[in-house]
Amino acid sequence: MQRLVSVLRQDGVDKELIHLVNVLGTACKEINFRLHQGALAGVLGSTQDENVQGEVQKKLDVIANTLLKDLLLQSGLVKALASEEEDDIVIGNKDGDFLVSFDPLDGSSNIDINAMVGTIFSVYRADDSLVIDESSFLRPGREQVAAGYVIYGPATLMVLTTGQGVRMYTLDQTIGEYLMTEPQVQVPADTQEFAINMSNQRHWAKPMQDYIDDLLKGAEGPRGKNFNMRWVAAMVADVHRILCRGGLFTYPWDRRAPEKAGKLRLMYEANPMALLIEQAGGAASTGTERILDIQPEQIHQRVAVVLGAANEVDMVEQYYRHQR
Ligand code: F6P
């Protein structure tokens, strides 16, 4: 089986980006180790703090954030970084080639029940400007040069795109290397499986309520087929399932917080997942526009997300179009 670095070389990826992916992979190996130690390392449970999103921070959120931040800054490759767990961007090396955004531990409410979590990352090439501030990060997701995640499950995998499709690498813990186990991930255009937090249905906008109602009517309803539902409550795990066996994932706008476009974060959740899904032949939308075309306004901005099987994403967009 081929090692991550040799696959990237073969793909013609430049050496700085290979080095950066390696640094991300190294930090994630360390996070993986801490996660597997669990209660033995005293890392379960919450801190006393909240992050900038007003969410209670888990101890492992903070540990994972520190590990990634320290290794990325030490590498000298990063001009600045943005993290779910940092209020503001963190400035790195002024000559660094990259801007990196990440969610150090997505789905962290799963930690305490020993269920799947993951690290999501998004990489842009930095420009030459001398001033680095939040606005340096505010570029549409289609400009990402790499995006991926590391999922910590029964096996630990890195799922990565550098713009030549999506490949999966399984961490071989005996040698500490990511080895390619799936060279070409494809998301089928059609599906009979969806992922959504159904308990919020009464709070969604009417197009989403109607779309899901029609799925639930099954073979007797307008869609003429039965649908299955899955929800892990960690985006990284729900998207991973879609990359493995297809499906549709959505976290829509919700009238309880009408001022927020959605729950998920654009820069370090929706954008990297949207690039992976598109690179695997699927689609990613807000219901009304392509996620990768959104011009970001803030690093922590939220967005509604509908992604996965291309024909099903298109169907959701049709419900929104017809009810405008
Ligand atoms: O980052 C937010 C997140 O944990 C996602 O990973 C996940 O998809 C979602 O929230 C779960 O939301 P809920 O708590 O509504 O199931």
Side-chain angles (χ1 to χ4, degrees):
M1 265 176 248
Q2 249 183 308
R3 292 169 193 232
L4 172 63
V5 168
S6 86
V7 176
L8 292 175
R9 272 196 209 118
Q10 205 167 293
D11 282 346
V13 176
D14 62 86
K15 68 177 187 323
E16 289 77 20
L17 186 52
I18 295 178
H19 188 179
L20 181 76
V21 170
N22 232 336
V23 172
L24 287 163
T26 303
C28 291
K29 280 190 243 173
E30 184 66 30
I31 296 170
N32 178 60
F33 175 75
R34 306 289 180 101
L35 278 165
H36 282 95
Q37 290 290 97
L40 298 177
V43 292
L44 303 188
S46 302
T47 65
Q48 303 303 316
D49 300 325
E50 288 184 349
N51 64 17
V52 65
Q53 337 273 335
E55 296 160 345
V56 173
Q57 281 180 314
K58 298 281 181 187
K59 287 183 193 162
L60 271 162
D61 283 325
V62 176
I63 292 169
N65 185 54
T66 306
L67 280 167
L68 279 158
K69 191 171 70 173
D70 288 354
L71 284 187
L72 286 169
L73 293 179
Q74 277 163 26
S75 74
L77 292 162
V78 174
K79 203 161 199 165
L81 57 84
S83 161
E84 183 185 14
E85 304 302 337
E86 301 282 339
D87 296 3
D88 302 310
I89 65 158
V90 179
I91 306 286
N93 173 9
K94 67 176 178 18
D95 298 320
D97 288 319
F98 301 104
L99 300 171
V100 181
S101 312
F102 54 86
D103 179 351
L105 218 44
D106 176 64
S108 53
S109 63
N110 275 357
I111 294 168
D112 295 340
I113 59 161
N114 199 27
M116 280 196 278
V117 291
T119 299
I120 308 174
F121 52 86
S122 155
V123 181
Y124 289 79
R125 216 166 276 283
D127 60 27
D128 294 334
S129 63
L130 295 174
V131 184
I132 303 292
D133 55 19
E134 180 170 348
S135 70
S136 316
F137 281 82
L138 304 182
R139 291 156 55 181
R142 59 173 185 270
E143 292 183 20
Q144 293 169 102
V145 292
Y149 59 82
V150 173
I151 185 162
Y152 312 102
T156 294
L157 274 81
M158 180 186 286
V159 179
L160 178 70
T161 182
T162 52
Q164 292 116 323
V166 178
R167 309 195 200 286
M168 293 189 181
Y169 304 85
T170 302
L171 177 62
D172 183 335
Q173 316 231 14
T174 58
I175 56 169
E177 291 275 356
Y178 296 93
L179 303 180
M180 186 167 68
T181 43
E182 179 53 62
Q184 206 192 354
V185 177
Q186 278 297 316
V187 176
D190 292 303
T191 186
Q192 287 179 237
E193 190 165 82
F194 66 97
I196 193 166
N197 184 341
M198 278 300 298
S199 67
N200 297 330
Q201 188 175 22
R202 67 193 184 285
H203 306 298
W204 305 330
K206 190 153 185 321
M208 186 53 78
Q209 287 176 334
D210 290 350
Y211 167 73
I212 296 291
D213 272 345
D214 287 348
L215 299 190
L216 296 179
K217 285 178 192 146
E220 295 77 39
R223 300 301 306 279
K225 54 185 184 177
N226 294 321
F227 283 81
N228 184 35
M229 197 204 88
R230 287 286 181 270
W231 187 247
V232 186
M235 184 193 199
V236 72
D238 282 307
V239 171
H240 187 66
R241 185 184 58 256
I242 288 169
L243 288 169
C244 291
R245 70 174 194 209
L248 179 95
F249 167 90
T250 173
Y251 210 113
W253 173 86
D254 184 321
R255 74 182 81 256
R256 285 169 300 177
E259 74 291 354
K260 292 181 187 160
K263 178 177 187 190
L264 302 177
R265 275 50 62 106
L266 175 63
M267 302 296 290
Y268 38 80
E269 290 180 317
N271 267 341
M273 293 311 200
L275 189 65
L276 286 168
I277 290 286
E278 284 201 5
Q279 284 285 318
S285 164
T286 62
T288 55
E289 67 178 313
R290 181 184 180 224
I291 287 176
L292 294 178
D293 285 339
I294 296 173
Q295 173 57 51
E297 288 165 7
Q298 291 169 21
I299 49 168
H300 296 296
Q301 111 184 37
R302 297 177 190 255
V303 67
V305 174
V306 184
L307 60 75
N311 291 341
E312 214 50 46
V313 173
D314 184 56
M315 181 67 76
V316 175
E317 288 182 331
Q318 286 179 39
Y319 277 73
Y320 277 90
R321 268 200 299 278
H322 291 150
Q323 299 196 31
R324 230 174 254 160

